Amino acid sequence: MWIILLVLALVPSCTPRPTSSTEDESAPEEGSEEMRSEALKRLLEVFGIEDPPHSPQHTKQPPQYMVDLFNTVADADGVTKDPHLLEGNTVRSFFDKIHSDQMHFLFNLSTVAKNEKVLTAELHLFKLRSRHPELAHFRKHHFCQVNVYQVLDKKNLDSPHGKKLLSSRLIPMQASGWEVFSITQAVRSWTDDDKNNLGLLVTMKTLGGVQVDPSAVRFASGRDHHQSKQPMLVLFTDDGRRGTVPIHSVQDAHVESAALPNEPSAPANNRSRNARSLDEEDGRLPCQRHPLYVDFEEIGWSGWIISPRGYNAYHCKGSCLFPLGQNMRPTNHATVQSIINALKLTRGVHSPCCVPDKLFSINLLYFDDDENVVLKQYDDMVAGSCGCH
C-alpha cells in the first residue's frame, strides 16, 4: 500500500476524480501483484529508468570520487544541499575496458542516452611515484608534459591524422595522486556516433621533447592496480528532465521542517486500527506536512542503489476551511475560493486543496546495468512545505 500512497503523493490532488465503469474494470486490483508491478513501473518512470539493473547485488565498491561528489551535493537523505553545485543533473563514471599496460584507454559509453546533453567530460588518471627517483638525469627535470589524444586511426597513431590532441599540461615528475584532463570534445563525437570511439592515447615527454622512460612517470592501469586507482572517465550531462517548481536547497527544507510540525508516525501494528480515526480527524486538522518515507530496501532496489537507503518524500494533508490564515500559505485564488465556498454563492465549488507549495530535489547514487556508477538529481521529489491552493 505504501507504493500506492507514494504514487498518489507525487500527484497533488484534493478530491478523487470519478472513474467510468470501463476504467474500473481495467484498473488493477488493489494489493495485487499486477498493482505492485504497475506501481513499480511508474516509480521507475519517475526516476527516469526504463528497467532496474539486472544484477540484484553489486560487489564492486563505487569510485571514491563519486561517493565524495554525492556527499558534496546531497545530505544523508539525498536532498540537494545547493542546486548550483552540480553541473547538469547527471554524472556518470566509466572504467577503462582495455586494461592495457600501454597508455591506451577505451570507455564504453553505450549507457548514455541520446537525449543527454554532454556538458563536461574528464579523464581521471592516478599518477604513481617513480620507481627510480634517484636517477640523476631526472633530477634536473622537475616536470614532464602529459598529452591526451583522441585516437582517430589505431593503425597510424604516429601520423598527423592518426590522433587529435585534446589536453596537454605539465605535471611534477615526483608527485603522486589524481590528475584530471578535459576530454569533452572527444566524448561529444563519441556520443554522436559510437563508431568514432577508438579510445584515448596518453603520452609523456620531458620539457626538451624527449619521450619519458615509463619507469620514471607511471600512471595506474586497470590491469595491475587496485580498483580505487583505475583510470576513469567522468561525464557530466543533462537529460532535460526538469521540474515545474523552482528547486530549493536542503537548507530551505530544514527551515520548513522547523516551521511546519510533522504528524508523528503511528506504529506499524496500530496503523490499520487507527486509519479510520485518523481519516476522520483529517477533516478537523489544518493543512500541514506529514512524513512519507520511501524505503528502497522495501521496494527491492537496495541491491543497485548505493545512496541514500531511502528518503522522506513527505505529503500534505488537512483541511483548508474558511477563514484561511497566512499560516496556511494560501494563494489569492485559494482565499477567494474559500470565501465563495463558505458563502455558498456558487454550487459545486469546493474548499481549496492542501498541496505541496514548495518542492525539493533529491540525488541518487546507483549502479547502472553495465556496473558504472551514476549520480542523478531529480526535481520535485520532496514536499518542502504545504499550502492551500
Side-chain angles (χ1 to χ4, degrees):
M1 283 300 295
W2 64 266
I3 300 176
I4 303 170
L5 290 173
L6 170 60
V7 175
L8 293 175
L10 293 173
V11 184
S13 178
C14 188
T15 54
R17 180 176 64 86
T19 56
S20 66
S21 57
T22 305
E23 289 176 326
D24 290 338
E25 290 173 2
S26 61
E29 183 181 347
E30 187 174 306
S32 66
E33 279 300 316
E34 185 182 0
M35 170 68 82
R36 176 181 172 83
S37 176
E38 180 65 20
L40 288 175
K41 179 183 176 182
R42 295 292 180 90
L43 196 55
L44 283 169
E45 290 175 1
V46 170
F47 288 105
I49 300 173
E50 292 185 5
D51 295 298
H54 299 308
S55 178
Q57 190 70 44
H58 290 271
T59 57
K60 282 188 175 181
Q61 290 295 315
Q64 190 60 44
Y65 174 85
M66 297 296 289
V67 175
D68 292 342
L69 184 61
F70 175 86
N71 291 332
T72 299
V73 302
D75 70 359
D77 293 326
V79 180
T80 303
K81 292 179 181 179
D82 184 342
H84 303 294
L85 288 175
L86 195 65
E87 185 178 7
N89 61 8
T90 308
V91 185
R92 301 176 185 275
S93 61
F94 304 87
F95 283 125
D96 171 43
K97 294 297 183 182
I98 296 181
H99 303 312
S100 170
D101 57 350
Q102 305 298 319
M103 296 300 286
H104 184 201
F105 307 106
L106 183 66
F107 302 92
N108 183 0
L109 307 183
S110 60
T111 55
V112 181
K114 291 296 183 183
N115 66 323
E116 289 187 46
K117 181 181 179 181
V118 174
L119 303 175
T120 302
E122 300 171 342
L123 174 64
H124 291 224
L125 298 177
F126 189 87
K127 186 178 179 300
L128 303 166
R129 291 194 181 276
S130 172
R131 288 175 177 169
H132 307 290
E134 72 284 354
L135 294 178
H137 65 282
F138 287 119
R139 287 181 181 172
K140 55 186 178 183
H141 298 294
H142 299 291
F143 293 87
C144 70
Q145 182 176 338
V146 178
N147 297 326
V148 179
Y149 296 91
Q150 177 184 355
V151 176
L152 303 178
D153 185 349
K154 290 188 292 185
K155 297 180 180 179
N156 297 289
L157 287 176
D158 294 330
S159 71
H161 304 292
K163 58 184 182 294
K164 179 181 180 181
L165 183 63
L166 300 173
S167 181
S168 178
R169 56 192 185 80
L170 301 177
I171 63 172
M173 294 278 284
Q174 300 300 331
S176 66
W178 286 101
E179 300 289 344
V180 179
F181 303 88
S182 175
I183 55 170
T184 307
Q185 195 175 7
V187 172
R188 283 177 178 164
S189 73
W190 297 343
T191 53
D192 289 340
D193 185 356
D194 58 3
K195 293 179 182 178
N196 295 328
N197 187 358
L198 301 177
L200 302 169
L201 178 68
V202 177
T203 65
M204 294 158 288
K205 294 182 178 182
T206 65
L207 297 183
V210 179
Q211 197 75 23
V212 173
D213 186 331
S215 65
V217 179
R218 301 184 303 134
F219 288 96
S221 67
R223 189 179 71 171
D224 300 326
H225 299 93
H226 190 267
Q227 182 180 326
S228 63
K229 297 179 180 179
Q230 286 187 14
M232 182 172 64
L233 187 156
V234 177
L235 179 60
F236 295 80
T237 66
D238 195 303
D239 63 6
R241 293 167 59 93
R242 288 296 177 206
T244 56
V245 179
I247 305 174
H248 301 273
S249 68
V250 70
Q251 287 89 342
D252 296 327
H254 291 160
V255 171
E256 297 297 345
S257 297
L260 292 173
N262 291 328
E263 176 186 274
S265 300
N269 57 350
N270 291 332
R271 285 175 187 166
S272 59
R273 184 176 58 190
N274 296 337
R276 181 172 299 179
S277 61
L278 288 174
D279 288 340
E280 291 171 354
E281 290 178 7
D282 287 344
R284 297 192 296 273
L285 292 174
C287 173
Q288 58 185 291
R289 191 175 71 155
H290 301 269
L292 176 60
Y293 190 75
V294 181
D295 190 329
F296 293 132
E297 183 174 0
E298 187 177 348
I299 299 173
W301 291 1
S302 61
W304 54 277
I305 291 183
I306 302 165
S307 291
R309 309 313 295 172
Y311 77 101
N312 202 336
Y314 293 100
H315 68 116
C316 298
K317 185 168 61 175
S319 61
C320 292
L321 302 178
F322 176 84
L324 295 179
Q326 287 305 308
N327 62 317
M328 298 293 175
R329 311 164 75 95
T331 60
N332 288 337
H333 181 273
T335 300
V336 172
Q337 183 174 329
S338 70
I339 295 171
I340 299 298
N341 172 260
L343 297 178
K344 307 298 182 186
L345 296 180
T346 303
R347 291 185 61 185
V349 176
H350 300 281
S351 60
C353 298
C354 177
V355 295
D357 63 358
K358 187 177 288 186
L359 294 165
F360 304 127
S361 62
I362 67 164
N363 302 265
L364 288 189
L365 188 69
Y366 64 90
F367 287 101
D368 68 11
D369 227 0
D370 203 29
E371 292 197 313
N372 303 310
V373 174
V374 182
L375 170 60
K376 204 167 183 67
Q377 193 170 92
Y378 301 90
D379 296 347
D380 302 351
M381 298 298 290
V382 176
S385 63
C386 301
C388 294
H389 288 226

